[in-house]
Amino acid sequence: MKKKYFKIAFYIWAVILFTLTSIPKLQTPIDDSLNIDKLAHFIVYLIFAFLFMKMFDENQYIQKLKILSVLAVIIPILDESHQILIPGRSFSYYDILADFLGFLTIIIYYKFKLKQS
């Protein structure tokens, strides 16, 4: 039953993520030199990857880590590419890197967890 809730949370998170990245960029009073945007990218995709892995049982982790590794490359590129079409948004290699690092953190965590068991 617990996996069902993670699955629902994953799909809700994915919809929210796509919706938020489709909104034209608004001016914010936050100083961009703090790179809060990159931290946000990292955290958002860290949560995305975590929810993805929590949808499955432990005996499926190895197979799902392979899928997550492919998603870690494809999704950040697609996310940034689709933002080219959104007014006020732009393509950023640094955002892709931050997204990828969020995925990578979860991949490393689960690989370590698998080695421990």
Side-chain angles (χ1 to χ4, degrees):
M1 189 66 131
K2 185 171 136 179
K3 302 294 176 207
K4 178 183 174 184
Y5 294 117
F6 281 112
K7 192 175 215 175
I8 292 167
F10 172 79
Y11 287 115
I12 289 171
W13 190 256
V15 168
I16 289 170
L17 216 158
F18 181 76
T19 302
L20 290 176
T21 61
S22 298
I23 297 172
K25 188 152 181 113
L26 302 173
Q27 294 295 331
T28 61
I30 298 172
D31 183 8
D32 195 36
S33 66
L34 297 175
N35 288 321
I36 292 175
D37 177 58
K38 303 309 173 250
L39 180 60
H41 275 266
F42 173 81
I43 291 170
V44 163
Y45 282 99
L46 178 102
I47 293 168
F48 182 88
F50 174 76
L51 291 173
F52 176 83
M53 290 303 293
K54 292 300 282 184
M55 291 191 302
F56 306 103
D57 295 322
E58 286 186 28
N59 61 352
Q60 298 174 303
Y61 283 170
I62 293 172
Q63 177 188 0
K64 299 312 172 190
L65 278 172
K66 291 176 185 176
I67 294 170
L68 190 61
S69 297
V70 172
L71 293 176
V73 174
I74 294 171
I75 289 178
I77 293 170
L78 288 176
D79 179 32
E80 286 303 307
S81 296
H82 110 275
Q83 290 185 42
I84 294 170
L85 305 172
I86 311 298
R89 297 263 186 174
S90 60
F91 185 94
S92 168
Y93 289 108
Y94 293 115
D95 287 351
I96 290 173
L97 179 61
D99 298 346
F100 177 76
L101 291 174
F103 276 103
L104 186 61
T105 301
I106 294 301
I107 291 167
I108 291 169
Y109 169 78
Y110 276 96
K111 283 191 175 201
F112 181 75
K113 186 175 179 177
L114 283 170
K115 276 191 174 186
Q116 295 296 327
S117 57

